Amino acid sequence: MSHDSTAAPEAAARKLSGRRRKEIVAVLLFSGGPIFESSIPLSVFGIDRQDAGVPRYRLLVCAGEEGPLRTTGGLELTAPNGLEAISRAGTVVVPAWRSITSPPPEEALDALRRAHEEGARIVGLCTGAFVLAAAGLLDGRPATTHWMYAPTLAKRYPSVHVDPRELFVDDGDVLTSAGTAAGIDLCLHIVRTDHGNEAAGALARRLVVPPRRSGGQERYLDRSLPEEIGADPLAEVVAWALEHLHEQFDVETLAARAYMSRRTFDRRFRSLTGSAPLQWLITQRVLQAQRLLETSDYSVDEVAGRCGFRSPVALRGHFRRQLGSSPAAYRAAYRARRPQGEKQSDSDGSGAPPPLPVQQEAPVPLQTRRTAAAHAVGPATSSLSTEGRTGAEMYAAGRASLPGQRSAP
């Protein structure tokens, strides 16, 4: 599943400054970045495929810091351009950042802010979202990143509306994607936005990938706790919930175990995990249902009871909303994909049915997934002092409202 902003057409119409060109794509590389994520925009935008019906982009590979740039496996890269080349690009892509715990170079952040102010489209793939957030470009906006890093992004930048379920989020002039292969999804989406479905389809065929993927990151989530929650007292409550998913309990039960009011618990839980506690609990129950459907012969009704759902109807509804498929269809498709030697025979000896088509559900309205943190981001006034404020804070506070930018609910 992906989210395309309803304001995206307006944002796409933002006027570029005179020196920028829409067809020029700058890719910003840093030392320590993973080679796979870095290569995705280079392959999509840097190879001439006009013979296949794909309009050509002009690629500028830019070093975000002094080189040589070391990447996966000890490889050293030398980028042909520096930060100054970004000034010509209509699109700037940050494919990855080396560490979610270290700040990006301020010079690179300034270059991204200038590009955005001059009308450029800014794209963050996977952990590249942390660079965009550090620059203040995601404040008050929806965004995504790899599900494993989403809680950290939400905690470190509370004014960013992080949705770990999406493969990518298009908010008009700022776009972000989930981990690794989701960068391909977002790059194809950019080509589709710029040149239409036919061009994106031709490129997808060349890359041997689907033009669009249904579903989101939910199917890849696991039960591990976010790295930063381990030392928090709330971790005990989260661990208890994971161990008792087979029981019927609600968020009030968790709040009581934490000796907090529901309101305080909601706020603390969201700050630690990046998710509302109710949504997190439902997601964990659905994940448990997935595992049981994959590894057991329990009926769907039995699976619902063993995952804490009050009825099979509740399981089916949440399962379809999160995974785009019914539990029965999911089990059938999973068994059909397994190697022949691993398949369990059905009770009637007929074998597993073929995979059923997965229907993509309509996305949950983004406004319902917004956090109250957006109210902390307000317009700047001349009386505000800049002493002690970071470049990102001053940028976010001082910029004008832009077409395509989401406002607080």
Side-chain angles (χ1 to χ4, degrees), residues 274-305:
S275 174
L278 179 58
Q279 182 58 52
W280 177 86
L281 182 58
I282 292 172
T283 297
Q284 296 304 318
R285 294 195 189 282
V286 170
L287 289 171
Q288 180 72 352
Q290 276 185 272
R291 295 183 181 94
L292 291 179
L293 290 167
E294 294 169 1
T295 61
S296 77
D297 290 321
Y298 294 130
S299 68
V300 173
D301 289 11
E302 289 174 316
V303 168

Side-chain angles (χ1 to χ4, degrees), residues 20-187:
R20 295 184 180 273
R21 296 292 180 268
K22 183 178 180 180
E23 71 276 8
I24 297 179
V25 177
V27 177
L28 189 58
L29 300 181
F30 297 96
S31 187
I35 190 67
F36 186 89
E37 284 84 349
S38 300
S39 68
I40 289 172
L42 303 183
S43 178
V44 171
F45 302 112
I47 298 177
D48 186 354
R49 297 186 178 92
Q50 294 181 88
D51 62 321
V54 182
R56 185 174 184 179
Y57 290 87
R58 291 177 56 196
L59 179 70
L60 298 176
V61 182
C62 307
E65 57 193 344
E66 291 295 324
L69 309 178
R70 292 174 176 82
T71 184
T72 309
L75 298 176
E76 289 191 356
L77 304 177
T78 301
N81 302 286
L83 287 171
E84 70 284 348
I86 291 179
S87 62
R88 292 182 277 155
T91 299
V92 181
V93 182
V94 183
W97 174 237
R98 60 174 166 261
S99 172
I100 62 173
T101 60
S102 62
E106 191 60 36
E107 296 81 2
L109 299 181
D110 286 339
L112 288 172
R113 294 179 192 120
R114 285 195 299 272
H116 185 252
E117 289 170 347
E118 294 175 0
R121 176 172 53 190
I122 311 297
V123 181
L125 308 183
C126 193
T127 53
F130 283 81
V131 180
L132 272 57
L137 300 180
L138 297 182
D139 287 351
R141 292 177 178 267
T144 193
T145 188
H146 191 293
W147 60 263
M148 188 167 60
Y149 305 126
T152 302
L153 182 65
K155 181 179 180 181
R156 187 163 298 152
Y157 302 100
S159 59
V160 180
H161 309 304
V162 181
D163 190 340
R165 296 173 294 177
E166 304 287 5
L167 288 176
F168 65 83
V169 172
D170 178 350
D171 198 42
D173 55 347
V174 177
L175 303 87
T176 52
S177 80
T180 312
I184 301 176
D185 296 304
L186 180 50
C187 289

Side-chain angles (χ1 to χ4, degrees), residues 332-346 351-355:
Y334 176 82
R335 290 185 172 179
R337 289 194 302 268
R338 293 171 63 190
Q340 187 65 35
E342 296 181 9
K343 291 182 181 179
Q344 300 176 2
S345 60
D346 292 339

Side-chain angles (χ1 to χ4, degrees), residues 380-386 389:
T381 64
S382 58
S383 62
L384 291 178
S385 171
T386 61
R389 302 176 73 190

Side-chain angles (χ1 to χ4, degrees), residues 132-267:
L132 272 57
L137 300 180
L138 297 182
D139 287 351
R141 292 177 178 267
T144 193
T145 188
H146 191 293
W147 60 263
M148 188 167 60
Y149 305 126
T152 302
L153 182 65
K155 181 179 180 181
R156 187 163 298 152
Y157 302 100
S159 59
V160 180
H161 309 304
V162 181
D163 190 340
R165 296 173 294 177
E166 304 287 5
L167 288 176
F168 65 83
V169 172
D170 178 350
D171 198 42
D173 55 347
V174 177
L175 303 87
T176 52
S177 80
T180 312
I184 301 176
D185 296 304
L186 180 50
C187 289
L188 283 173
H189 170 75
I190 291 172
V191 174
R192 186 180 302 109
T193 300
D194 291 347
H195 302 292
N197 289 327
E198 188 173 343
L203 177 57
R205 288 191 293 273
R206 276 295 183 94
L207 298 176
V208 197
V209 297
R212 296 176 186 263
R213 281 198 294 167
S214 62
Q217 295 192 79
E218 296 95 336
R219 68 193 68 185
Y220 307 110
L221 298 174
D222 69 15
R223 287 173 47 152
S224 58
L225 301 180
E227 295 178 3
E228 298 186 8
I229 196 177
D232 192 277
L234 209 60
E236 295 183 9
V237 177
V238 174
W240 180 89
L242 292 173
E243 293 172 0
H244 293 78
L245 288 175
H246 59 284
E247 301 177 9
Q248 291 185 9
F249 60 87
D250 53 20
V251 177
E252 279 75 14
T253 301
L254 299 180
R257 292 189 67 87
Y259 302 101
M260 297 179 185
S261 67
R262 171 65 187 271
R263 183 176 181 181
T264 300
F265 181 78
D266 282 4
R267 184 175 65 251

